[in-house]
Amino acid sequence: MSLTAGSRPDGTVEEPRAVVAAATEPKPRPPRGTSKAGKVPLRIRLRRDRALILMVAPVIALLLLFNYVPLLGNVIAFQDYDPYASDNGIAAIFQSPWVGLEQFSRTLDDPLFWSATKNTLVLFALQLVLFFPVPIALALVINSVIRPRVRAVAQAIMYLPHFFSWVLVVTVFQQILGGAGIIAQTLEAHGWSGFDLMTDADLFKYLVTAQAVWKDAGWGIIVFLAALSSVSTDLYEAAAMDGAGRRRRMWHVTLPALRPVIALLLVLRVGDALSVGFEQFLLQRHAVGAGASEVLDTYVWNMGIQNGDFSYAAAVGLAKGLIGVCLVLGANKFVHLLGEQGVYRK
């Protein structure tokens, strides 16, 4: 009976020498400072990333100071806060009496609160229909431009108004659509009666939507153009070879590529439904009256700063924030049902 190279006389198979050597060879030790599980201790990571930590430390400090520390002041929503109870406004918090949910129950009987809520929801629905699709359409138009220089100039012109303050934006619209604006003066010079859209309460919601589109629509193009830049040109070439025209390529290639970004921005926009703006409405409040321009943000400002009812204003603001969180969670759940990721994964 002949034996093979890896067999023994008793019929068992002999392990190759390379396998035996690899099994008996001592395993390399992990780098110094790492644990048996392969995790780097915290002190070593802090020492290793100290440059990055020092670089982001000022940003984190500012974020904590201006975004998280003021959240502690929401405790006055459950008090009858009196800032004059002490020489220090912070010390007055500890000396103000607790009233529980009384400030929140006041909102149910306040007609001004419900009027501001109605205006806020109407403006949100109008801006969601008229304003949200505009950056998507502009991004598709700019993306279809072949010449890069023309595309860059058009994009720069469109998002330049984003850097303008609301004071300047309202002034520009006043000089164009106001009673003494260019259009009204031109009509009066030719024998027509002028108009003043800046003081028309019925058209105010469309006016502020147009202002928002002119100011911020161009800035939203950047997000969608970044998403379009990741689309492979092979998809467009394959669709063109299959006979798809420009509209078909846009419908079957471009829009599916934008779908995750659209879903994400839609969730964030729904979560911000009760914050349609503050400075924009405050600047035009006296021109159209409080009935048309009062939203929740200006209502909180009026009740807290002008009337000095800080506890009630804090309760309205806190309720607005909690409702916004619920809207984000609900919209994100709806996006998950559509098959998109949204703000976070399932």
Side-chain angles (χ1 to χ4, degrees):
M1 180 177 179
S2 61
L3 299 176
T4 59
S7 61
R8 296 177 178 174
D10 55 358
T12 60
V13 180
E14 182 180 2
E15 294 290 340
R17 294 183 179 179
V19 176
V20 176
T24 57
E25 184 178 357
K27 297 182 180 180
R29 295 182 178 180
R32 186 176 181 181
T34 59
S35 60
K36 295 182 179 180
K39 296 182 179 180
V40 182
L42 178 61
R43 58 182 180 82
I44 296 181
R45 282 183 290 168
L46 293 177
R47 186 186 310 168
R48 180 192 60 190
D49 302 330
R50 59 181 179 274
L52 296 176
I53 296 175
L54 292 176
M55 184 173 61
V56 301
V59 179
I60 296 177
L62 291 176
L63 184 66
L64 293 175
L65 181 61
F66 292 102
N67 290 83
Y68 288 93
V69 173
L71 292 178
L72 302 176
N74 286 324
V75 69
I76 66 175
F78 305 93
Q79 296 178 329
D80 186 10
Y81 177 67
D82 183 10
Y84 304 103
S86 176
D87 296 335
N88 190 345
I90 299 178
I93 297 177
F94 301 96
Q95 301 179 8
S96 299
W98 293 88
V99 295
L101 300 178
E102 179 181 343
Q103 304 295 346
F104 295 92
S105 63
R106 286 178 55 189
T107 60
L108 302 178
D109 302 327
D110 190 354
L112 297 178
F113 168 77
W114 292 111
S115 177
T117 303
K118 177 183 176 181
N119 291 338
T120 303
L121 295 178
V122 169
L123 288 168
F124 162 71
L126 189 63
Q127 292 185 7
L128 187 64
V129 174
L130 300 180
F131 175 43
F132 187 76
V134 172
I136 304 175
L138 293 177
L140 295 177
V141 171
I142 293 179
N143 189 64
S144 62
V145 178
I146 300 178
R147 296 183 179 181
R149 182 173 298 180
V150 177
R151 184 188 307 174
V153 172
Q155 183 178 351
I157 294 175
M158 288 181 182
Y159 74 68
L160 182 62
H162 174 77
F163 300 98
F164 297 163
S165 65
W166 277 115
V167 176
L168 181 57
V169 172
V170 173
T171 302
V172 170
F173 274 76
Q174 177 68 37
Q175 296 298 322
I176 297 176
L177 302 176
I182 297 174
I183 298 179
Q185 291 181 358
T186 304
L187 293 176
E188 291 177 356
H190 291 79
W192 298 83
S193 59
F195 62 90
D196 188 2
L197 293 182
M198 301 298 294
T199 58
D200 193 338
D202 296 331
L203 299 177
F204 179 72
K205 52 182 176 293
Y206 301 101
L207 176 66
V208 294
T209 302
Q211 294 172 353
V213 169
W214 184 73
K215 184 178 187 296
D216 292 328
W219 183 258
I221 297 175
I222 299 177
V223 179
F224 295 105
L225 287 179
L228 290 175
S229 63
S230 62
V231 182
S232 176
T233 57
D234 297 338
L235 298 176
Y236 292 102
E237 295 176 357
M241 293 183 64
D242 291 340
R246 176 174 297 182
R247 294 182 179 178
R248 286 290 183 179
R249 293 196 296 268
M250 181 181 299
W251 182 260
H252 294 286
V253 179
T254 305
L255 290 180
L258 292 178
R259 183 175 173 178
V261 180
I262 294 175
L264 174 61
L265 295 182
L266 183 61
V267 171
L268 297 178
R269 186 67 189 90
V270 170
D272 205 28
L274 301 182
S275 299
V276 292
F278 170 70
E279 185 179 358
Q280 178 188 12
F281 294 91
L282 187 64
L283 291 171
Q284 304 174 87
R285 174 185 176 88
H286 297 288
V288 296
S293 63
E294 188 79 299
V295 293
L296 285 178
D297 289 335
T298 57
Y299 179 72
V300 170
W301 182 83
N302 290 327
M303 298 301 297
I305 303 301
Q306 286 193 336
N307 298 340
D309 196 350
F310 298 101
S311 295
Y312 181 66
V316 175
L318 184 59
K320 182 175 77 71
L322 294 177
I323 294 174
V325 172
C326 295
L327 290 176
V328 168
L329 297 178
N332 197 75
K333 183 64 177 179
F334 177 74
V335 168
H336 286 169
L337 297 177
L338 296 179
E340 300 297 336
Q341 178 178 343
V343 179
Y344 56 87
R345 295 182 181 273
K346 297 180 181 180

